[in-house]
Amino acid sequence: MNESQVGQADGELSLGWRLLLASAFGVGFGSIGFVTYSIGAFIDPLGREFGWTRTQVQGAIAFGVGLGGFFAPIVGYMIDRYGGRTIALWGLVGVAVGYLMAGASQGSLSFFYLAYAAVALLGAGSGPVSWTRAVANHFHERRGLALALTLSGTGMAAIFVPPYTVYVVENYGWRVGYIALALLPMIALALAALFFFPDRSSRGRMAAVDERTLTGFTLREAVRSFRFWLLLASILTMYIGITGIVPNLIPALTDKGFTPAAAASIQSGYGISLIIARLGIGWLLDRFWGPGVAAVTLTSPVIACLILMGEPSYAAAMLASVLVGAAAGAELDLLAYFAARYFGLRNYGRIYGLLYTGVALGAGLGPISFAYLSQISGSYTASFQVALGLFAFGGVSILFMGRYPQGHVGSNARRT
């Protein structure tokens, strides 16, 4: 970058910080952000009151995460057609309604699952596609870092939500716990309403859009591109591996002799590294060829799998958790960045939304398949072996994305 471009890039961040703050909270406390991180606090209390097994309670994740992801293409279409502001704000209200429904459960597992389905369906507009569309549309020179800051909201949720939920549930009961969860999207709603969240129809100073950002592929053209399917395959395999390891990490470590407290502290390294990696990846994407950055980051959990297949020390297990967190932090950032960089912004919502189904499918398949594999094999070793192969494929395959297309976006990331 020359001096004028650096000044323009810095100006983007100084003018757009309100949008970034609102979007980070929207991602963290939206329909996808904290379903997985909060469910653990409710497993035993619901089991004691209603006799539900742990597997039955965790089945709600499939409705709250997996189902919502499959509606992302529809949300993307609506955002491209009508703009994102109203859709995102009503989506946050929908998330709150879903959690209030869960708190009103009276012993019917079907109603409990329906409540989490409401989080996914009524809250679909609050998913990452809404927030990343607005951020990608506003930022050009610092798009990678801006998307990283936005998506670090999931890391914020990973650190804050578990202790917050456990504290409320232990001191006030699980029903109040769900009310406490319903407050979180309303905080995000207040920030998004207070701090101007631009959409395509807005005319505020932050909504001034360069014509470059409105060019790009149609959905049909994107789907016909080998890059679309390559990116989808990488996302799917990476998320099966990541979400397969994370919820099973504590039982895997306790099987190796760690105390539950030590295992939980090791898992905390995941959330911290997720945020750090996300910000670091954003900085790198603005300066270097994205697939090269992605390949290094996404293959690093191969080392984590090798560590976890053995008998690791506390420090080695922490390193493994950090490496998985780094890949998790990079993956969503890379998805948003590559969707904009390779396919443009004209139909970003639809294209990103369709790609996001890979995240949803992986998040739904990973925990269940890894737990089942460990059950039939008698240990988690086979699960880590499968994860190793998934990470190797997902990380290396991204190198075949090739050069950035010319003329779709205004980023100055280095071409190869």
Side-chain angles (χ1 to χ4, degrees):
M1 286 187 185
N2 58 38
E3 187 174 338
S4 63
Q5 288 173 322
V6 171
Q8 181 181 354
D10 292 341
E12 281 186 337
L13 293 175
S14 63
L15 290 175
W17 70 268
R18 292 178 178 84
L19 171 61
L20 292 176
L21 179 64
S23 297
F25 272 82
V27 168
F29 297 148
S31 60
I32 303 296
F34 65 108
V35 170
T36 303
Y37 305 131
S38 61
I39 192 75
F42 298 96
I43 291 175
D44 289 338
L46 289 171
R48 287 192 294 269
E49 182 153 346
F50 300 132
W52 297 343
T53 67
R54 290 182 174 184
T55 301
Q56 287 176 319
V57 176
Q58 291 191 62
I61 296 176
F63 292 89
V65 177
L67 187 61
F70 287 107
F71 279 81
I74 299 174
V75 172
Y77 171 80
M78 295 174 64
I79 290 170
D80 285 336
R81 187 171 180 85
Y82 304 111
R85 178 184 174 87
T86 301
I87 293 170
L89 297 183
W90 278 109
L92 291 169
V93 174
V95 175
V97 169
Y99 282 121
L100 290 175
M101 288 176 59
S105 297
Q106 297 295 330
S108 169
L109 190 61
S110 297
F111 180 85
F112 184 67
Y113 287 165
L114 179 64
Y116 272 83
V119 171
L121 301 182
L122 299 179
S126 66
V129 62
S130 300
W131 312 101
T132 60
R133 175 64 167 84
V135 171
N137 207 40
H138 174 65
F139 290 88
H140 306 293
E141 305 300 334
R142 289 287 184 260
R143 179 174 292 155
L145 180 57
L147 287 170
L149 289 166
T150 297
L151 293 167
S152 65
T154 58
M156 171 188 66
I159 294 171
F160 169 74
V161 169
Y164 167 76
T165 311
V166 167
Y167 174 81
V168 176
V169 171
E170 287 185 346
N171 288 277
Y172 303 102
W174 66 269
R175 294 186 188 278
V176 177
Y178 275 113
I179 296 174
L181 289 185
L183 291 175
L184 298 180
M186 301 313 293
I187 293 172
L189 174 68
L191 286 171
L194 195 63
F195 293 152
F196 180 51
F197 178 77
D199 62 19
R200 189 168 68 179
S201 63
S202 300
R203 292 293 181 265
R205 68 175 181 177
M206 286 173 49
V209 178
D210 192 299
E211 287 299 318
R212 297 171 301 174
T213 65
L214 297 180
T215 62
F217 286 54
T218 65
L219 180 60
R220 177 176 295 182
E221 289 171 339
V223 170
R224 287 178 173 177
S225 167
F226 80 92
R227 290 187 175 96
F228 177 92
W229 296 103
L230 185 64
L231 186 55
L232 181 61
S234 175
I235 293 162
L236 177 60
T237 54
M238 289 298 302
Y239 259 85
I240 291 175
I242 290 168
T243 61
I245 288 178
V246 174
N248 290 292
L249 186 58
I250 290 178
L253 291 174
T254 54
D255 286 350
K256 293 179 181 295
F258 289 90
T259 65
S265 68
I266 289 170
Q267 190 171 17
S268 69
Y270 167 88
I272 296 171
S273 68
L274 187 150
I275 293 179
I276 294 173
R278 186 154 283 166
L279 298 178
I281 289 295
W283 186 88
L284 290 169
L285 286 175
D286 289 329
R287 290 160 175 80
F288 302 102
W289 182 54
V293 174
V296 173
T297 308
L298 298 183
T299 54
S300 62
V302 168
I303 300 173
C305 293
L306 293 172
I307 292 172
L308 294 171
M309 283 189 285
E311 297 294 331
S313 64
Y314 181 91
M318 178 63 78
L319 174 61
S321 179
V322 165
L323 291 174
V324 175
E331 185 67 18
L332 273 184
D333 194 11
L334 291 165
L335 172 59
Y337 185 84
F338 287 159
R341 200 70 176 86
Y342 282 100
F343 305 117
L345 289 174
R346 181 157 58 113
N347 294 284
Y348 173 88
R350 275 169 274 196
I351 295 169
Y352 179 91
L354 191 56
L355 287 167
Y356 195 81
T357 59
V359 175
L361 186 58
L365 288 175
I368 297 173
S369 59
F370 276 44
Y372 178 74
L373 186 58
S374 68
Q375 179 181 330
I376 62 174
S377 66
S379 76
Y380 280 96
T381 299
S383 298
F384 294 134
Q385 289 172 338
V386 171
L388 187 152
L390 293 172
F391 291 137
F393 172 82
V396 173
S397 64
I398 210 74
L399 289 170
F400 295 93
M401 291 289 289
R403 294 173 179 266
Y404 296 133
Q406 300 289 330
H408 288 302
V409 291
S411 171
N412 286 312
R414 185 174 298 172
R415 288 180 170 84
T416 59

